[in-house]
Amino acid sequence: MDRKTAEKNLSLPLSALKGVGPRRSALLEKLGLRTVEDMLYLFPRRYEDRRSVKKITELVPGAPAVVYATVCGVDVRPLPGRGRRLITCRLSDGSGFLDAVWFNRRGLENTLAKDTPVALYGTPSLRSSVFEMTEPEFEVVKDKGEKSPFAGIVPVYPSTEGLPQKWFRGIARALVEQHHNQAEEELPSCLIEKNTLMPISRAIYEMHMPESPESWKEARRRFAYGELFTLQLTLAASRKERAESSAVLLKRGALFEAMTASLPFSLTASQRRVIDEIFADGASGRPISRLIQGDVGSGKTLVAIAFAAGLCDSGAQCAVLAPTEVLAEQLHAQTAKYLAPLGVGCALIKSQLPARERRAVLSGAADGSLSVVTGTQALLSDEIKFKNLGAVIIDEQQRFGVRQRARLLKSGAKPHLIMMSATPIPRTMALTLYGDLDISVIEDKPAGRAPVETRIIGRDQLAKLLRFIAAEILSGGRVYWICPRVEEDDGSDLPAAVKRFEWLEKKLPPVKMSLIHGQMESSDKEAAIAGFRSGLSQLLVGTTVLEVGVDVPEATVIVIESPERYGLSQLHQLRGRVGRGTRRGLCVLLSLLPEDNERLRIFASTNDGFEIAKADLELRGAGEITGTAQHGLARFRVADLQKDYLLAETARDDAREFLEKEGLEALPCAMREKIAAMRAEELS
């Protein structure tokens, strides 16, 4: 079949298929399924292992199994309540009897007429010496000699209400059987041969209808490699393009020397090393593309300010992008603290800025009188224009999409790009996700900063905790109290920030308190942070809006309620809000199940963010054939960056070698189109 015919078949709308219709078509569209091709690449979210086919007398209570049997009779009994009924079907396979029970299934007695052959899958129990299955899945067997898709390894698809799994499996199976051979190969044949990968058509078939766990693993490996290779090739192409362009020369001039000399403390060895790496990059005349990773409190911001000072020495401007106004305000305050006394024009732009101040910032950026402009999404506005934008610094970069980052990088000369993250990422994963960047890690923390102690307590110790907090505040400390939600919700026992604030006001009346959460106006959030920073407020109750950016050296204690609701890395970010001054920090995890949570015990045992990130990934699991939900950071359909780290290294090496030797033009058409679409998204 030629490519045009195959493309036509794969682009056929699902709404045109028999048995779909307008209602089901709309439901499929909710899942992002519009064409036959969409269905081919919608892989099951997990599988049921139905290879255990048993005679009724061979069943084991509690062990799921498939049974082929014939209906002996059906009994329908009414239950209390309008329209409620119990349907019991007695079946036999000649070896014994089995009762199948369903509730409120209208018309089932007609489907399961006497002498009807059926296949059932369920978990048996033993009741009065007769096996019973409650709400088993079943299928009428039309041809006993035909291989039934009911048994074996059965796919379970991501579905929605109104699309039963049985129907979904039927439509998917029919389309896969008819069209899997029409899928176009995306990978170069040399890489398929080198890595002994399954052809794409066979891999599609095995992902939907695996013959065995081994064949499924090979199909999965094929698609995981393809996703990783595509990502790495896109990143390598971006890296190559940036390396071939020019940027502002970076130098350590008078501003840089004055800024570093003015510091009231010594930079750590890691900070000095990363600064050296950045300036070595910038001296080449090529654009810097570097990710700076550093644990909470490691001093990434000072490295960024030192870089900005060197950029100003070169006569260029710097844009600093932050995900929240709280963080943007703090970054601006720190930048101005070190650079404004040296005559560097620094400004902050945000959505709620008064019109007069906004005009002043826009004018200063345009005429070059402002050298460092810090902001949130407002920096991405088309109305802000820089006279000579030499660099973009992005803090907490994982909170911005590719398009958002790219908007700041669109100018004549390529700006330098420094991205910072306090969310530790294992090196292999970082190299996979950020293959277009160089990576620097700040391992050390400033001298004199003690590790934050972590304690796990239960709700029964609340009174003791309140006494401790009162004493801590009396001695000059300040306290954060974090809740998982803003308002109470009917039927939920999760603590809410608003209610907890009111409760604490009653329990600790002498303590000055403030409240902060994401639903507040920006001005109210700013006032809450400013009050806490200045000491007008001693206890700040809030949600995870405080996860990053709030730097109050006097804060010594953070209480996190329902810590089970957070990932370990997020807990680590929250813990990093305390112990940033000279006094020790304490993190209190107020848990519903303090004795039974292995995750929390692991978290409390270490302050190493990279170890915590590794533990977080390991505890979440990587997926097997009976449960393939993925937790990857790159929105992969199949690949898992923890499980597939060796495959990721292979794909990265293959991508760089292929780009160097063959070039993008040597790719199959389908892969070229995919890479072009990804690069268009990156640059749009």
Side-chain angles (χ1 to χ4, degrees), residues 92 119 252 288 412:
S92 176
R252 305 185 201 224
I288 299 169

Side-chain angles (χ1 to χ4, degrees), residues 270-281 288-295 298 300 303 417-425 427 430-431 434 437-443 610:
S270 286
Q271 286 174 313
R272 291 194 299 272
R273 174 180 51 76
V274 173
I275 288 172
D276 289 345
E277 289 171 350
I278 292 171
F279 277 82
D281 284 353
I288 299 169
S289 296
R290 187 169 288 274
L291 171 67
I292 301 175
Q293 283 201 89
D295 214 340
S298 61
K300 296 179 299 300
V303 170
L417 173 64
I418 297 289
M419 301 202 295
M420 300 189 293
S421 176
T423 303
I425 306 171
R427 181 165 179 79
L431 288 170
Y434 305 110
L437 305 175
D438 296 305
I439 298 173
S440 294
V441 179
I442 303 177
E443 297 98 348
F610 287 92

Side-chain angles (χ1 to χ4, degrees), residues 44-227:
R45 59 185 175 86
R46 64 182 180 87
Y47 301 81
E48 287 179 350
D49 190 346
R50 299 185 186 176
R51 289 175 295 169
S52 177
V53 180
K54 301 287 188 184
K55 292 285 188 182
I56 291 175
T57 51
E58 297 172 343
L59 292 174
V60 176
V66 172
V67 171
Y68 288 92
T70 302
V71 176
C72 299
V74 177
D75 178 55
V76 181
R77 296 182 185 178
L79 294 174
R82 184 177 179 183
R84 299 187 66 220
R85 12 187 261 158
L86 176 70
I87 302 99
T88 303
C89 179
R90 173 62 61 95
L91 302 112
S92 176
D93 63 356
S95 73
F97 292 100
L98 168 70
D99 285 343
V101 178
W102 293 272
F103 295 92
N104 306 322
R105 295 280 293 271
R106 295 205 167 274
L108 201 58
E109 62 272 26
N110 299 322
T111 304
L112 298 175
K114 192 173 185 301
D115 296 329
T116 301
V118 295
L120 300 99
Y121 173 73
T123 303
S125 59
L126 199 56
R127 183 187 295 273
S128 301
S129 74
V130 176
F131 282 107
E132 180 179 282
M133 287 183 179
T134 302
E135 296 284 349
E137 188 173 337
F138 78 93
E139 185 176 277
V140 174
V141 178
K142 296 179 180 178
D143 184 352
K144 290 185 179 181
E146 184 182 351
K147 184 181 177 182
S148 171
F150 187 83
I153 299 171
V154 178
V156 178
Y157 291 93
S159 191
T160 187
E161 188 175 353
L163 296 177
Q165 275 295 321
K166 184 177 178 181
W167 179 87
F168 212 110
R169 275 198 288 267
I171 196 87
R173 183 182 184 89
L175 291 177
V176 169
E177 287 181 335
Q178 186 176 355
H179 296 289
H180 73 281
N181 284 322
Q182 296 165 16
E184 184 177 357
E185 186 58 73
E186 299 176 342
L187 292 172
S189 57
C190 59
L191 295 181
I192 293 175
E193 184 177 346
K194 174 187 174 184
N195 295 290
T196 59
L197 299 174
M198 192 178 278
I200 193 168
S201 59
R202 184 64 194 169
I204 288 173
Y205 192 93
E206 287 293 335
M207 287 296 289
H208 288 275
M209 293 170 283
E211 290 185 354
S212 67
E214 292 70 32
S215 64
W216 172 81
K217 286 177 182 177
E218 283 304 304
R220 185 198 169 280
R221 185 173 74 91
R222 191 260 179 253
F223 282 112
Y225 175 88
E227 290 177 342

Side-chain angles (χ1 to χ4, degrees), residues 72 231 236 271 316 324 332 442 460 463 471 490 509 518 566 574:
C72 299
L231 174 65
Q271 286 174 313
T324 66
H332 167 63
I442 303 177
D460 58 334
D490 291 341
Y566 306 107
L574 289 166

Side-chain angles (χ1 to χ4, degrees), residues 284 326 377 406:
S284 68
V326 168
Q377 299 282 351

